Amino acid sequence: MPADSYNAIRHHFDRLASDEDAVRLASSYGILAGLSSCPPDALQKILDRLLKGLASGPPDFGQLLDLLKNRTRAEGNVSGQEARDHRLGRLFGLEAIVKSEIVFQPGCCEERWKPVVDLLLDLGTEKTWLREECGWIIYEALRKNGSTDETRIHAESAVERLCEKQVAMTPEGVAIWLKVHELYPDIRLPKRPWRHRDPLEARNLDELARVLKEASAEEFPSSKSDGKDQQRGMWTPKLHFAWGVILERLYTTDKSLLDFAPKKGALTLTRFWQHVVDDTLFAASASQERKHWGFLLSAKVIHDAPKQWVTVVFSRNMIRCLINHLSDGERYLHRISLRSLKALHIRIELDPDLAHAAVVALTRKPGTPNFDHVTKTKTVASLFHQASDDALLDIVRDYERTIRRPDEDDPKKAEDSDAQHSAVQDQAFILLYSLVLFQLYNGDEDALSVLSDLDACFAGIRAGKNGNNTHDSDILIEVLLSLISRKSTLLRRLSEQVFGIFAGDMTNSSVQLLLDVLASEESIAGQQTMFEQEDGDASDDTSSNDAQMVDSGAISATGDLSNPKKRKLNLAPDGKDEVSVTSGSDRDTPTESGSTSGSEMAGSGMDMDQGSDETARLNAALAQIVGTRPFDEKADASISDEELMNDDEMFALDDQMVSVFKERKKSTNKKEEKRDAKETMINFKNRVLDLLEIFVKQQHRNPLALEMIAPLLTLGRTSRSKQLADRACSIIRTFAQKCRGKEIPPVEDDERVWPVLHAVHREAKQGSSKVHATACSQASLAIVKILVDSDKTHVVGVASLYAATQIEWLQGSCRLQPAFFSDFLNWSTSYTKQNR
């Protein structure tokens, strides 16, 4: 066989291993063409070569690794950037090999896995800034391939290489070690360097703290590491992945993971956090960078931990650092400390029952009762908003225990103390006292006056228990009205609960105090009637101060309890019942078309006319001061030199000009004052409706509930706030739904019920929105049921009243919805069937 023909065929043999189909086909054609010219003795050798090639694989795996090492080796005098690029290239190449899973093919575990692990560990040891990524590649490879018999060899080999390379006592080594034991609980791990073969054994806490802190051994003199210092070369602002692995292990309830260690040596999250995080990362001597890690860990635990472990993060040093860095926006860790609070609010939003534990952790030792005041945040106040009802009550009871026994931390003794206050009303006052005192401790100056009023009310209630209870409920209502007018949602909610407790003790005069609020105007006049404010025609200074108080909502909730008109208001929207007031009416019109009401159109036109008139008055005033005629576009614009004023005359006009513009500003402030007064009154009425709704739900059988029907219907008809009118009608609907079957209220005096029914019919005749008409019909039928249930002969009087109302409707002397009569007809049909 000629040498040149043989060499040509050998070249085709090499190309048969190509990954490209076209190259392999071309080589096959070349070999076949060369065979035709080969002598018979050489033909057999070529065929043997082809048959052997069928059983051969791709290039050796060792050759692949050698190729990777040679191509990513920085040789000669190269720059730092080039050396960095070579190392990154080697890292990416090794990662590609591991992710291709060729190292996990059966039958070649040892020969392929060990060299890759060695290269990764060597690369991480050589350049510590690559160590975390190298460890992550090994960790992910073990995690993704699971716990099979084939991969068990990989796990054992990985731990063996960690120990040999002396990197087991690094964050990456801890993560890989724990993952191997999780996948294979029965695996026999090396005795060293971790005692009891477990990094999370209690006696390894010092070494674990040093490892996770990534500090040198000199910083931990008590540690006895046999390995060389593996401190990371540079700090990174993100958490090492090993923290997540450790925390997941500590969260788990699977005790089988701890079977290899004595029970007394099992490490809990509380002890781990105290020693490894609080005493290390949050230590007073810790650097800002390590405290940064501590805050990141706090946010992670708050977000991920099971419910029972969330408050573990609020340890002594952590709370100290949190308060220090929250209190000053210029501090280095201010923003990262806010992230911990944000994580807390997100977690409480998902699980409101955790609010109690969070508030206790922040306001009890090692926290501080005035946490919000010290940190200049609204953290605790926001937690009150997010808390569930049960958590809210737990918070209040905890404050009550703290206030009564500030040095007593024994919960059993606190429960014994609670047993002494078995009376429900006493407990209600304790709740109010606790929250008001907490606000006082938190720096709220107005809380002192509220506390004084509350004390006077409690003294009156105590006196009432001894027989003098004439004005007790009136005093309580005045105090509650003062509390619900404050901007605290918690105080308002607790006021509602206290009102519910005392609802059965309400008298006609105390209920009338609530109804007087509903009857007041939604204007400046109504605000001056209900609250202690100066008349709008007072001196300029007083008027200016009043306007500022209305704008800022900073009027204190104090006043003379004996005079309801002497209350002061501190009503600020809190998100629940805030009402935005716009010009014109926002009520539904009685027409079916729903077109804009005439009053709204008139109001809009009035505003335009008023604006034009004000401009004309301003021009006239300026013209009078200057001594010229008012501005006229049609007038001649030319002015002679004699008419122009000199400088002295211009300065003399300065004071007069200032006076004119002050008057105009005062007129503008009046408009804002009217709008703010309307918004204030609507918000206050909303909170009074909250109390009335509670009364109707709990005391619908109380005769006083009937006294509320007519005022509620009047509010539903006259209020210019649609939201307020709908709420009033909704309470009527609740009352009507309660008056069914055995729950129909008994009647002690018929003469008190008939006037209410007549008042309802008078309201229905006024004609208003469909919602109001429906409420009138529901209220009327509810009262009819009450009358007929007490005495069936009342059905005659009821029918006569409906007949008289229908006659007026037919004659056109009143406006009524037809449903008012059809509802009564349906009830009459049902009543007739039941009584035949």
Side-chain angles (χ1 to χ4, degrees):
M1 181 177 183
D4 54 349
S5 299
Y6 180 75
N7 290 334
I9 293 177
R10 288 185 59 184
H11 172 68
H12 288 307
F13 286 154
D14 295 336
R15 299 180 64 187
L16 284 176
S18 175
D19 293 334
E20 299 182 9
D21 295 341
V23 175
R24 292 198 305 273
L25 288 175
S27 299
S28 301
Y29 288 134
I31 292 175
L32 292 176
L35 289 176
S36 60
S37 61
C38 289
D41 58 339
L43 182 61
Q44 186 61 41
K45 294 178 62 177
I46 294 175
L47 292 176
D48 292 341
R49 175 77 180 273
L50 290 174
L51 292 174
K52 290 180 180 180
L54 293 176
S56 64
D60 184 72
F61 185 78
Q63 296 178 2
L64 178 63
L65 290 183
D66 291 339
L67 179 65
L68 177 64
K69 288 188 290 185
N70 293 333
R71 295 294 178 88
T72 58
R73 181 182 294 115
E75 297 178 342
N77 187 18
V78 297
S79 64
Q81 183 62 43
E82 284 187 68
R84 179 186 178 90
D85 293 341
H86 279 83
R87 293 187 182 93
L88 289 175
R90 177 171 297 187
L91 176 68
F92 296 150
L94 292 172
E95 184 178 11
I97 291 174
V98 173
K99 287 185 176 181
S100 68
E101 298 186 354
I102 61 176
V103 296
F104 295 100
Q105 293 179 355
C108 55
C109 294
E110 291 284 348
E111 59 189 39
R112 293 185 180 181
W113 173 248
K114 282 187 177 182
V116 171
V117 172
D118 286 341
L119 285 175
L120 286 170
L121 295 180
D122 290 341
L123 182 61
T125 303
E126 180 183 359
K127 292 297 178 181
T128 54
W129 52 272
L130 288 176
R131 196 181 66 201
E132 181 179 354
E133 186 63 29
C134 294
W136 172 255
I137 294 173
I138 300 174
Y139 174 85
E140 276 293 287
L142 295 174
R143 185 187 66 83
K144 288 184 177 180
N145 284 275
S147 55
T148 63
D149 293 337
E150 291 79 7
T151 57
R152 185 185 182 95
I153 300 177
H154 294 80
E156 293 176 342
S157 177
V159 175
E160 178 184 344
R161 307 312 293 169
L162 289 176
C163 296
E164 289 184 6
K165 299 287 184 178
Q166 296 184 349
V167 291
M169 297 190 73
T170 62
E172 301 79 21
V174 172
I176 295 171
W177 194 293
L178 293 177
K179 176 55 65 175
V180 169
H181 194 274
E182 177 187 341
L183 294 173
Y184 307 98
D186 60 338
I187 196 171
R188 189 69 176 176
L189 295 172
K191 293 182 179 181
R192 297 183 65 85
W194 297 108
R195 297 184 183 91
H196 290 281
R197 303 182 175 90
D198 183 14
L200 299 186
E201 209 275 341
R203 280 173 286 184
N204 290 322
L205 270 177
D206 287 339
E207 288 80 4
L208 184 64
R210 179 183 63 81
V211 167
L212 294 177
K213 184 181 178 181
E214 299 189 89
S216 61
E218 286 76 11
E219 296 185 56
F220 281 76
S222 61
S223 64
K224 300 179 180 179
S225 174
D226 293 335
K228 60 183 180 180
D229 180 22
Q230 293 292 341
Q231 183 180 7
R232 182 185 287 185
M234 59 182 296
W235 177 82
T236 59
K238 66 182 184 68
L239 283 176
H240 196 287
F241 77 92
W243 287 102
V245 178
I246 295 171
L247 291 174
E248 286 297 327
R249 164 74 175 271
L250 294 174
Y251 294 156
T252 184
T253 57
D254 185 5
K255 301 302 181 182
S256 64
L257 294 178
L258 302 176
D259 287 345
F260 63 95
K263 291 184 178 180
K264 63 179 181 180
L267 187 63
T268 63
L269 179 61
T270 303
R271 190 173 179 185
F272 170 83
W273 184 271
Q274 182 64 44
H275 192 88
V276 179
V277 180
D278 196 60
D279 293 342
T280 304
L281 299 184
F282 284 118
S285 59
S287 65
Q288 300 286 3
E289 290 78 12
R290 283 166 180 160
K291 290 177 181 177
H292 184 280
W293 284 345
F295 283 123
L296 289 179
L297 273 174
S298 301
K300 182 177 181 61
V301 173
I302 291 172
H303 185 272
D304 298 337
K307 182 177 180 179
Q308 64 271 23
W309 298 117
V310 170
T311 56
V312 168
V313 301
F314 299 110
S315 48
R316 176 174 53 85
N317 291 330
M318 187 273 181
I319 287 289
R320 174 181 53 78
C321 292
L322 183 67
I323 292 176
N324 289 340
H325 290 280
L326 285 175
S327 60
D328 187 357
E330 299 298 324
R331 283 184 174 267
Y332 180 70
L333 299 179
H334 177 74
R335 295 181 64 183
I336 194 64
S337 61
L338 287 175
R339 185 185 297 185
S340 299
L341 295 184
K342 183 178 179 180
L344 179 62
H345 287 304
I346 293 175
R347 183 63 185 270
I348 300 299
E349 192 72 28
L350 298 175
D351 192 353
D353 289 337
L354 275 174
H356 171 234
V359 170
V360 170
L362 295 175
T363 58
R364 297 282 294 273
K365 291 182 180 180
T368 174
N370 56 344
F371 183 87
D372 283 358
H373 181 70
V374 173
T375 60
K376 302 176 184 178
T377 64
K378 296 295 182 183
T379 304
V380 177
S382 299
L383 294 177
F384 287 155
H385 285 268
Q386 295 177 292
S388 63
D389 292 340
D390 292 339
L392 190 61
L393 290 176
D394 290 339
I395 292 171
V396 175
R397 293 191 179 103
D398 187 80
Y399 276 123
E400 179 265 326
R401 297 188 189 104
T402 305
I403 292 168
R404 285 165 42 209
R405 291 175 177 259
D407 298 327
E408 185 64 73
D409 293 328
D410 189 351
K412 293 183 178 180
K413 293 183 179 181
E415 291 175 1
D416 294 338
S417 180
D418 289 344
Q420 300 175 3
H421 296 269
S422 58
V424 177
Q425 294 182 347
D426 287 346
Q427 290 293 334
F429 273 104
I430 290 174
L431 295 182
L432 286 177
Y433 270 118
S434 301
L435 262 295
V436 175
L437 284 173
F438 168 71
Q439 289 202 334
L440 183 62
Y441 292 157
N442 205 27
D444 189 347
E445 297 177 357
D446 293 337
L448 184 61
S449 59
V450 178
L451 186 62
S452 177
D453 296 342
L454 187 61
D455 192 54
C457 177
F458 182 68
I461 295 294
R462 280 294 182 90
K465 291 182 178 181
N466 296 326
N468 182 20
N469 56 358
T470 306
H471 301 292
D472 296 342
S473 59
D474 295 356
I475 298 175
L476 178 61
I477 289 298
E478 285 294 339
V479 171
L480 294 181
L481 287 175
S482 296
L483 293 178
I484 65 174
S485 68
R486 295 175 61 78
K487 62 179 73 174
S488 170
T489 300
L490 181 60
L491 272 179
R492 192 189 75 242
R493 291 176 65 180
L494 286 176
S495 298
E496 294 170 2
Q497 293 186 14
V498 172
F499 179 81
I501 293 174
F502 286 92
D505 298 329
M506 293 295 103
T507 63
N508 187 60
S509 59
S510 58
V511 171
Q512 190 60 43
L513 289 174
L514 300 176
L515 299 180
D516 287 343
V517 177
L518 302 184
S520 59
E521 298 180 16
E522 297 164 7
S523 62
I524 294 179
Q527 184 172 268
Q528 291 173 348
T529 301
M530 294 305 302
F531 306 106
E532 185 183 85
Q533 292 184 352
E534 298 294 335
D535 194 345
D537 297 331
S539 65
D540 292 342
D541 293 340
T542 304
S543 177
S544 176
N545 292 337
D546 288 345
Q548 291 176 4
M549 287 193 296
V550 172
D551 290 339
S552 64
I555 307 172
S556 61
T558 62
D560 183 3
L561 296 180
S562 63
N563 188 351
K565 294 183 180 181
K566 291 299 181 181
R567 287 189 300 265
K568 291 185 180 179
L569 181 64
N570 185 1
L571 190 61
D574 54 21
K576 175 184 177 185
D577 48 17
E578 179 180 356
V579 178
S580 178
V581 179
T582 58
S583 61
S585 173
D586 56 1
R587 284 292 320 278
D588 287 342
T589 62
T591 60
E592 295 181 0
S593 62
S595 60
T596 305
S597 64
S599 62
E600 182 176 354
M601 296 177 63
S604 177
M606 187 183 301
D607 291 341
M608 296 177 61
D609 293 341
Q610 288 177 352
S612 178
D613 293 342
E614 289 176 2
T615 302
R617 287 195 296 269
L618 177 63
N619 289 335
L622 293 176
Q624 183 178 3
I625 295 174
V626 178
T628 63
R629 61 181 179 273
F631 175 74
D632 187 358
E633 292 181 355
K634 298 180 180 179
D636 187 5
S638 63
I639 302 176
S640 63
D641 294 340
E642 289 78 5
E643 295 178 353
L644 296 175
M645 292 181 292
N646 57 33
D647 293 342
D648 294 336
E649 291 174 329
M650 291 292 290
F651 282 119
L653 297 178
D654 185 58
D655 292 339
Q656 300 181 49
M657 298 284 285
V658 170
S659 177
V660 170
F661 283 105
K662 275 187 177 182
E663 291 295 329
R664 177 171 175 80
K665 183 177 180 181
K666 187 182 299 183
S667 176
T668 303
N669 289 339
K670 282 291 184 182
K671 290 184 178 180
E672 296 179 357
E673 186 177 354
K674 290 179 181 179
R675 184 184 67 249
D676 293 339
K678 180 179 180 180
E679 183 174 350
T680 297
M681 289 304 299
I682 290 176
N683 287 331
F684 189 54
K685 287 185 178 182
N686 259 310
R687 299 183 181 183
V688 171
L689 287 178
D690 291 336
L691 302 183
L692 294 179
E693 186 175 13
I694 292 172
F695 187 88
V696 168
K697 288 181 178 179
Q698 296 184 5
Q699 299 290 326
H700 74 281
R701 294 171 62 87
N702 192 321
L704 293 176
L706 290 173
E707 304 294 333
M708 302 178 181
I709 293 178
L712 287 172
L713 290 175
T714 301
L715 178 65
R717 176 175 56 84
T718 60
S719 177
R720 300 184 67 187
S721 168
K722 183 178 184 300
Q723 183 264 350
L724 198 63
D726 289 347
R727 282 211 64 199
C729 294
S730 175
I731 296 175
I732 295 293
R733 181 169 60 253
T734 301
F735 175 77
Q737 291 173 349
K738 290 282 187 179
C739 298
R740 293 179 179 178
K742 297 181 179 180
E743 292 299 318
I744 295 178
V747 177
E748 298 178 358
D749 185 3
D750 295 344
E751 298 302 323
R752 295 185 60 182
V753 182
W754 280 106
V756 179
L757 183 59
H758 283 274
V760 172
H761 278 245
R762 285 194 297 271
E763 277 294 327
K765 293 175 187 178
Q766 298 292 326
S768 186
S769 65
K770 185 177 180 180
V771 175
H772 176 263
T774 301
C776 288
S777 179
Q778 292 172 338
S780 179
L781 290 178
I783 299 173
V784 167
K785 293 177 184 178
I786 294 173
L787 287 170
V788 175
D789 185 71
S790 64
D791 188 350
K792 295 186 183 300
T793 60
H794 287 315
V795 72
V796 178
V798 168
S800 299
L801 179 60
Y802 267 91
T805 303
Q806 190 171 18
I807 291 174
E808 293 184 37
W809 176 59
L810 292 173
Q811 292 176 345
S813 58
C814 67
R815 294 181 299 175
L816 272 172
Q817 295 285 345
F820 187 81
F821 302 107
S822 61
D823 291 343
F824 177 70
L825 182 60
N826 292 335
W827 175 84
S828 301
T829 303
S830 176
Y831 175 79
T832 303
K833 290 181 180 179
Q834 294 176 1
N835 291 275
R836 282 183 178 176

